[in-house]
């Protein structure tokens, strides 16, 4: 409960700060709308926000699922095969030198204006954190466990399945926790570049029409959904990866 | 351990090591000659870093990173290992830990045998518990059960009791000698008292060879307060100190 109380207190402080800037600086509403107006817009435009939010969340969840699957499999292949490490790892590191933002127009060109380019964008942005943290965990398996398994006559595949993967679950979970925060960024970038639906699209639309209150409403909706997603992933990880039974 | 299973072959004939070993170019030991007599407990004492664990690894077939020159006769497929750390997998129940060897070989675990082995080590009612719910002594008994489950005639023990408190250690020594009766055992230990209690053959390992020490008479586990055991313990300690 103290965590929730802290979050509510922090939100109230943030809102008070926001309101005080408006009162002190007398900034115009189309530059910075007051929190009360944004709250009102959230309420009056709830159907519109919900419609666009649902599209963004579908992109985020699918991107997260595919990214987790692909990142997980890549980490296992890299950990299992020294040759894969030699060939693929430098490419992975190089790929991180390319700004993901710069890829968005190309992805839209290749995959079109529909959901797939946004899902792919979310996937790309979370792929590296998941692969990297899961791979590191797979490479840190207690060497004594591995020795014992070898003495017992285990094959590398079975060692991977029965020991290395279960032992590396916390690493996968850390990657997934990060991914829950990064995936919405990918989807929004994709929507900015070319979309007709989604919260990113709504933000651009509202901005172009100087409806700053709607833009803030969309932004807040996205922030709230991201926090909820992160909390849900956290709970899922805590439940399935009970720390006492992992390390 | 099933004695008839052990007597099938004279594996002890194959358990022999003589030569030298280096790791990353630095010499760990040389001039070592070690035979493990069939069905007996051989204790290997020595200072840290002298290469006792390297000998265990060589016998176990874990030669990765070890540059060994000499002769090695071993049968890794018939060897079980029990280490200082219980090495229980924390996400598995005690029963699943005990039968992990079968699953790692792609065999179906023998449920009846698991419960029989757990009963023998006094963990009959703890099969469903995860390792974190067991005490240190219980965890080491679970590791012993896992070793027994492997049903191997040769057992390597790498300081298996050193992390236990004195009472649990004495109990574990007795339990282990009882359940491993008939096995060829190599016990690596730091503890002269343990060697004097359990060793039918006792060696002190030094950088340039092994020194055989006369073991006390009588069957193992010998009584802690036996006069000969106490005397042997004192002699072993003196020898160990003279080498440092």
């Amino acid at each position: 409960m103290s965590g929730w109380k802290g979050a509510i207190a922090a939100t109230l402080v943030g809102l008070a700060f926001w309101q005080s800037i408006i009162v002190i600086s007398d900034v115009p509403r189309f530059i910075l709308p007051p929190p009360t107006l944004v709250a009102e817009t959230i309420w009056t435009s709830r159907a519109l926000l919900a419609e666009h939010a649902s599209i963004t969340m579908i992109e985020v969840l699918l991107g997260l699922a595919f990214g987790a699957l692909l990142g997980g499999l890549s980490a296992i292949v890299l950990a299992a095969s020294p040759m894969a490490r030699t060939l693929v790892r430098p490419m992975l590191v190089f790929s991180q030198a390319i700004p993901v933002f710069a890829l968005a127009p190309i992805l839209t060109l290749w995959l079109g204006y529909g959901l797939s380019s946004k899902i792919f964008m979310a996937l790309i942005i979370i792929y590296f954190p998941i692969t990297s943290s899961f791979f590191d965990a797979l490479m840190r398996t207690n060497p004594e466990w591995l020795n014992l398994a070898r003495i017992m006559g285990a094959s590398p595949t079975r060692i991977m399945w029965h020991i290395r993967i279960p032992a590396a679950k916390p690493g996968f979970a850390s990657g997934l926790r990060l991914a829950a925060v990064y995936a919405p960024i990918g989807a929004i970038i994709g929507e900015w570049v070319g979309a007709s639906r989604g919260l990113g699209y709504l933000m651009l639309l509202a901005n172009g029409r100087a409806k700053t209150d709607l833009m803030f409403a969309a932004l807040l909706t996205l922030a709230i959904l991201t926090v909820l997603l992160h909390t849900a992933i956290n709970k899922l990880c805590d439940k399935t990866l009970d720390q006492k039974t992992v390390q | 351990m099933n004695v008839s299973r052990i007597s099938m072959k004279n594996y002890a004939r194959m358990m022999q090591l003589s030569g030298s070993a280096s790791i990353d170019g630095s010499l760990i030991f040389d001039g070592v000659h070690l035979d493990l007599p069939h069905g007996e407990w051989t204790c290997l004492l020595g200072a840290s870093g002298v290469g006792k664990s390297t000998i265990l690894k060589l016998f176990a077939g874990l030669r990765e990173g070890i540059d060994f020159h000499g002769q090695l006769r071993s049968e890794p497929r018939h060897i079980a290992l029990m280490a200082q750390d219980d090495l229980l997998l924390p996400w598995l129940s005690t029963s699943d830990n005990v039968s992990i060897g079968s699953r790692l070989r792609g065999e179906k675990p023998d449920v009846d045998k698991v419960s029989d082995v757990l009963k023998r080590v006094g963990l009959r009612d703890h099969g469903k518990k995860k390792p974190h719910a067991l005490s240190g002594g219980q965890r080491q008994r679970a590791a012993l059960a896992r070793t027994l489950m492997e049903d191997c005639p040769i057992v390597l023990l790498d300081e298996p009791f050193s992390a236990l408190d004195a009472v649990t250690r004495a109990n574990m020594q007795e339990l282990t000698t009882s359940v491993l009766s008939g096995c060829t055992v190599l016990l690596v230990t730091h503890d002269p008292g343990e060697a004097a209690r359990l060793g039918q053959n006792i060696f002190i390992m030094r950088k340039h060879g092994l020194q055989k020490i006369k073991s006390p008479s009588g069957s193992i586990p010998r009584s802690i307060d036996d006069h000969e055991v106490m005397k042997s313990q004192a002699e072993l300690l003196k020898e160990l100190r003279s080498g440092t």
Side-chain angles (χ1 to χ4, degrees):
Chain A
M1 278 306 283
S2 61
W4 282 105
K5 281 178 189 166
I8 291 168
T11 310
L12 289 175
V13 170
L15 289 172
F17 181 66
W18 182 356
Q19 185 68 44
S20 62
I21 290 174
I22 286 163
V23 171
I24 295 164
S25 65
D26 201 21
V27 62
R29 283 184 162 210
F30 69 89
I31 299 286
L32 182 64
T36 46
L37 179 63
V38 174
E40 195 186 320
T41 309
I42 289 178
W43 179 249
T44 52
S45 309
R46 58 189 184 278
L48 181 75
L49 285 166
E51 185 196 334
H52 288 280
S54 64
I55 298 294
T56 304
M57 281 321 279
I58 289 171
E59 294 162 359
V60 168
L61 289 174
L62 286 175
L64 204 55
F66 288 129
L69 190 68
L70 198 67
L73 288 175
S74 305
I76 292 170
V77 171
L78 285 172
S81 157
M83 188 184 274
R85 284 202 288 282
T86 316
L87 293 175
V88 182
R89 243 179 129 193
M91 281 200 281
L92 269 179
V93 174
F94 178 72
S95 73
Q96 290 309 294
I98 303 169
V100 184
F101 298 82
L103 288 175
I106 301 168
L107 287 178
T108 309
L109 184 71
W110 288 347
L111 300 170
Y113 288 86
L115 286 185
S116 42
S117 57
K118 287 81 190 171
I119 294 169
F120 202 73
M121 196 67 204
L123 184 155
I124 286 181
I125 215 163
I126 65 168
Y127 174 74
F128 192 76
I130 289 188
T131 307
S132 176
S133 59
F134 191 33
F135 170 75
D136 286 346
L138 284 169
M139 296 305 283
R140 279 198 309 264
T141 317
N142 181 352
E144 298 294 321
W145 283 343
L146 301 180
N147 281 343
L148 185 71
R150 285 184 197 120
I151 292 173
M152 287 172 160
S155 66
T157 316
R158 290 212 173 86
I159 292 179
M160 179 64 82
W161 182 250
H162 288 290
I163 297 178
R164 292 178 76 183
I165 292 177
K169 275 184 183 175
F172 184 70
S174 339
L176 210 56
R177 286 186 176 103
L178 272 180
V181 183
Y182 287 164
I185 300 174
I188 293 294
I189 294 168
E191 287 174 359
W192 280 349
V193 172
S196 55
R197 293 181 298 174
L199 286 174
Y201 160 77
L202 189 63
M203 273 183 230
L204 277 190
L205 188 78
N207 198 29
R209 295 182 182 178
K211 286 187 172 177
T212 325
D213 55 331
L214 184 60
M215 206 192 88
F216 269 78
L219 192 64
L220 271 181
T221 309
L222 179 71
I224 290 165
L225 286 175
T226 304
V227 169
L228 287 177
L229 181 67
H230 185 246
T231 312
I233 295 281
N234 249 341
K235 288 224 182 296
L236 184 76
C237 290
D238 288 347
K239 205 171 176 181
T240 52
L241 307 164
D242 180 4
Q243 287 307 306
K244 271 185 190 162
T245 62
V246 173
Q247 278 304 335
Chain B
M1 187 75 48
N2 188 336
V3 177
S4 63
R5 161 96 167 70
I6 295 153
S7 57
M8 284 190 305
K9 290 180 185 174
N10 186 3
Y11 289 105
R13 230 164 12 102
M14 301 172 199
M15 298 297 284
Q16 189 185 71
L17 179 145
S18 63
S20 63
S22 316
I23 295 176
D24 292 333
S26 72
L27 182 75
I28 302 296
F29 60 76
D30 69 359
V32 164
H33 183 93
L34 179 64
D35 284 309
L36 304 186
H38 173 62
E40 291 186 6
W41 280 59
T42 302
C43 286
L44 200 54
L45 278 156
S48 295
V50 81
K52 304 186 296 294
S53 295
T54 306
I55 286 189
L56 281 190
K57 281 185 178 167
L58 287 168
F59 273 131
L62 304 170
R63 295 183 67 159
E64 202 178 324
I66 304 171
D67 187 14
F68 175 71
H69 294 281
Q71 274 199 321
L72 175 65
R73 284 179 174 186
S74 182
E75 193 61 39
R77 280 179 304 151
H78 298 100
I79 286 177
L81 171 78
M82 187 173 160
Q84 179 182 350
D85 188 334
D86 54 66
L87 300 179
L88 297 175
L89 301 172
W91 57 88
L92 293 182
S93 68
T94 305
S95 294
D96 288 344
N97 262 297
V98 169
S99 60
I100 185 71
S102 310
R103 275 195 302 281
L104 282 170
R105 288 185 294 273
E107 300 160 0
K108 197 168 177 283
D110 182 342
V111 183
D112 293 336
K113 193 174 165 192
V114 171
S115 54
D116 176 54
V117 162
L118 282 174
K119 195 175 153 193
R120 283 172 72 190
V121 300
L123 289 177
R124 192 175 55 183
D125 301 326
H126 301 276
K128 286 184 180 160
K129 287 184 186 168
K130 294 271 172 68
H132 70 85
L134 301 177
S135 69
Q138 287 172 332
R139 288 170 66 109
Q140 207 56 353
R141 273 190 276 160
L144 177 61
R146 184 187 55 206
T147 311
L148 287 178
M149 194 66 195
E150 290 300 289
D151 214 1
C152 290
I154 305 154
V155 180
L156 306 177
L157 302 176
D158 191 1
E159 301 178 37
F161 316 121
S162 58
L164 303 173
D165 64 79
V167 174
T168 315
R169 189 186 310 157
N171 292 339
M172 271 303 288
Q173 287 168 347
E174 281 151 26
L175 177 67
T176 309
T177 41
S178 139
V179 295
L180 293 184
S181 139
C183 290
T184 302
V185 177
L186 175 60
L187 168 67
V188 160
T189 179
H190 281 297
D191 180 1
E194 189 165 276
R197 247 198 122 189
L198 305 178
Q200 288 165 304
N201 312 285
I202 302 175
F203 294 95
I204 291 180
M205 187 168 178
R206 306 196 195 279
K207 194 159 186 165
H208 300 290
L210 296 178
Q211 179 187 358
K212 188 165 171 54
I213 307 288
K214 188 179 175 297
S215 55
S217 58
S219 58
I220 60 165
R222 301 178 188 101
S223 175
I224 299 167
D225 55 1
D226 179 278
H227 177 69
E228 212 181 326
V229 169
M230 289 167 78
K231 197 174 157 214
S232 170
Q233 178 180 350
E235 278 169 13
L236 283 168
L237 184 60
K238 201 172 151 192
E239 281 295 336
L240 281 168
R241 294 178 84 178
S242 72
T244 58

